Amino acid sequence: MTIAIFPSKLELSTTAAQFAAVFRLPLLNELPDNPNLILHLTENYLELRDFTSKEKGVYVDFVGGRLGYRRQHGGGKNQPLGRAVGLKKGILPRIVDATAGLGRDAFILACLGCQVTMVERSPVIAALLYDGLKRARQNTEIIDIIENISLIHQEACAYLTSLGAEEKPDIIYLDPMYPHRDKSALVKKEMRIFRHLVGNDDDADDLLQTALMVAKQRVVVKRPRHAVFLANKQPTVSIESPNTRFDVYVVTI
Ligand SMILES: C[S@@+](CC[C@H](N)C(=O)[O-])C[C@H]1O[C@@H](n2cnc3c(N)ncnc32)[C@H](O)[C@@H]1O
């Protein structure tokens, strides 16, 4: 699905053109008659917005909102995600988040001290992440956390198989889209937009197989609590939270 970028004012045209060039997105100089999903560049952020609805746009916010709250009041290393990646005192693994999405899990892992490389194949989502990181770097409170996060805009299997022995991460984290049947309004706006944009990540089984060959210590897969295992592969252990399950595959080299 092709999404174009549109600057909200003339002064933002150069920045919009840069985004269009880097992420190979079409650039609009004016809103079309029937605008649907558009990457809308405002003075404050880059947002993915459905102009046919009154809902606010989706953008990456590492500073405030849910992530800001989580940073200040989050559960530390003992939260299920921290346990799933095996954080212990003095052990801070290098992680590739191969399905970065809006970067929430990556940010939480970076808050716990990990060095995280986010990999995202959707140009639209990668552009949102790039914009979120750029803004977050200007915030002195979280600059130390943001310095531990990098972004690669590439398909993850291609990225992982390109890594040399020295570059292989300790942990690969996967959170592919899960094919929900629920089409109700209860499905969050963000999820609806995501599904529209990136589909169901039907190649997630292959991504797990690749990740298992590349990770030095473990692969962690986030799934809805009652979902089947990815690739029907039994994990070494699963860590459950009320709605989510983290399937941990310990890799023996
Ligand atoms: C459910 S979202 C991940 C949400 C993320 N964990 C977060 O905390 O915001 C899945 C994302 O993974 C990306 N993705 C899925 N398979 C991928 C692959 N093989 N390579 C790169 N990105 C992939 C999709 O484009 C989508 O943005």
Side-chain angles (χ1 to χ4, degrees), residues 3-7 16 20 25-32 35 37-39:
I3 307 267
I5 181 162
F6 170 65
L25 298 161
L27 177 65
L28 293 174
N29 292 318
E30 53 187 57
L31 268 188
L37 274 185
I38 280 180
L39 266 178

Side-chain angles (χ1 to χ4, degrees), residues 15-218:
T15 315
Q18 285 164 348
F19 269 107
V22 172
F23 295 100
R24 296 172 186 229
L25 298 161
L27 177 65
L28 293 174
N29 292 318
E30 53 187 57
L31 268 188
D33 290 340
N34 279 320
N36 203 306
L37 274 185
I38 280 180
L39 266 178
H40 185 221
L41 182 65
T42 72
E43 279 174 321
N44 300 322
Y45 44 68
L46 180 69
E47 61 175 358
L48 181 61
R49 184 154 160 209
D50 180 355
F51 276 87
T52 61
S53 116
K54 289 199 177 99
E55 285 179 329
K56 283 187 174 171
V58 172
Y59 62 96
V60 171
D61 184 7
F62 290 122
V63 182
R66 274 165 52 186
L67 283 181
Y69 184 87
R70 184 95 184 236
R71 173 170 52 89
Q72 284 158 26
H73 309 280
K77 291 186 173 51
N78 280 332
Q79 60 186 284
L81 179 58
R83 279 168 34 225
V85 296
L87 296 186
K88 294 195 186 90
K89 219 176 169 197
I91 301 179
L92 295 169
R94 276 196 314 128
I95 301 181
V96 167
D97 178 348
T99 55
L102 294 178
R104 297 213 170 103
D105 293 328
F107 182 77
I108 293 166
L109 289 165
C111 285
L112 295 173
C114 305
Q115 241 187 62
V116 189
T117 302
M118 302 190 291
V119 184
E120 175 54 55
R121 67 177 159 193
S122 155
V124 173
I125 297 182
L128 293 174
L129 283 171
Y130 179 89
D131 171 66
L133 284 176
K134 194 170 98 185
R135 280 180 287 106
R137 271 189 214 109
Q138 280 148 28
N139 184 297
T140 47
E141 252 183 66
I142 63 164
I143 183 74
D144 291 352
I145 299 168
I146 296 299
E147 274 174 356
N148 277 335
I149 306 180
S150 55
L151 170 65
I152 306 275
H153 169 35
Q154 197 180 352
E155 194 286 315
C157 285
Y159 171 73
L160 291 173
T161 49
S162 75
L163 296 176
E166 296 293 303
E167 300 164 309
K168 289 187 176 168
D170 302 313
I171 290 162
I172 299 176
Y173 178 75
L174 308 178
D175 174 21
M177 298 289 287
Y178 183 72
H180 282 277
R181 270 160 295 199
D182 185 359
K183 292 200 175 70
S184 76
L186 289 174
V187 178
K188 283 193 299 179
K189 167 185 67 170
E190 227 173 79
M191 249 327 134
R192 273 186 279 124
I193 293 188
F194 250 76
R195 210 164 289 288
H196 199 55
L197 197 65
V198 301
N200 277 332
D201 291 342
D202 291 325
D203 52 355
D205 287 358
D206 295 340
L207 182 54
L208 173 62
Q209 304 294 2
T210 304
L212 288 169
M213 289 187 291
V214 175
K216 289 205 285 199
Q217 293 173 7
R218 57 175 76 184

